[in-house]
Amino acid sequence: MTRILFVCLGNICRSPTLEAVARVEFARAGLAVEVDSAGTAAYHVGEPPDRRSIAAGAAHGYDLSPLRARQVVAADFTRFDRILAADRANLRDLLALRRAHGTEPALFLADAEVPDPYYGGPADFEHVIALAREGMAALIASLRGGDMVAGRGR
Ligand code: 4NP
């Protein structure tokens, strides 16, 4: 089974949103994929997602409430087949953690970032949902061996 890890900074806003959207959309697509998420930083380890992310997800049918934050660990680079970063800073941090032969991390959106909504407002959290849905459609196409959707995703 394919295993995918979504990564952001705190693992309380973007990557748990990506994980929750992935669970629903992969199931809808009939794809058996194991998904998880983690943060490059340890600030929020053990905490549930940000309540604003939980609310934005719930409004679209995505349940983030059972998720708890964890930090990326070295074993993730051998356990996961794809490690997908929300933004370029997350990608740089992942590349610094990666050892030889481990899965090479990539951006979740091939040519764009999922911007950090933490210091933003409701529209920023809504934007994360939209980007998560868009990127997941491209990722599903990629997993099926299909073409990239609108040139995004991996
Ligand atoms: P995330 O958002 O990386 O999408 O989970 C953030 C969460 C917490 C912080 C920054 C970004 N923080 O500085 O605590």
Side-chain angles (χ1 to χ4, degrees), residues 4-24 26 34-50 52-54 57 62-73 76 80 82-87 90-91 94 106-109 113-118 124-125 127-129 131-133 136 139:
I4 300 178
L5 181 67
F6 300 102
V7 176
C8 63
L9 177 62
N11 193 211
I12 57 167
C13 299
R14 293 166 294 172
S15 60
T17 300
L18 296 174
E19 179 181 347
V21 171
R23 286 185 190 284
V24 169
F26 290 162
E34 184 186 312
V35 297
D36 194 8
S37 64
T40 57
Y43 317 133
H44 298 283
V45 168
E47 294 179 17
D50 189 292
R52 298 165 295 174
S53 292
I54 292 176
Y62 304 113
D63 184 12
L64 281 66
S65 66
L67 306 178
R68 295 296 178 266
R70 74 169 178 90
Q71 191 173 21
V72 173
V73 294
D76 289 326
F80 292 93
R82 297 199 191 201
I83 300 179
L84 301 176
D87 67 28
N90 306 146
L91 182 59
L94 284 167
L107 280 178
F108 169 63
L109 301 174
E113 300 187 306
V114 182
D116 186 351
Y118 191 66
D124 299 292
F125 285 84
H127 188 47
V128 172
I129 301 282
L131 292 174
R133 290 171 54 84
M136 222 56 71
L139 183 54

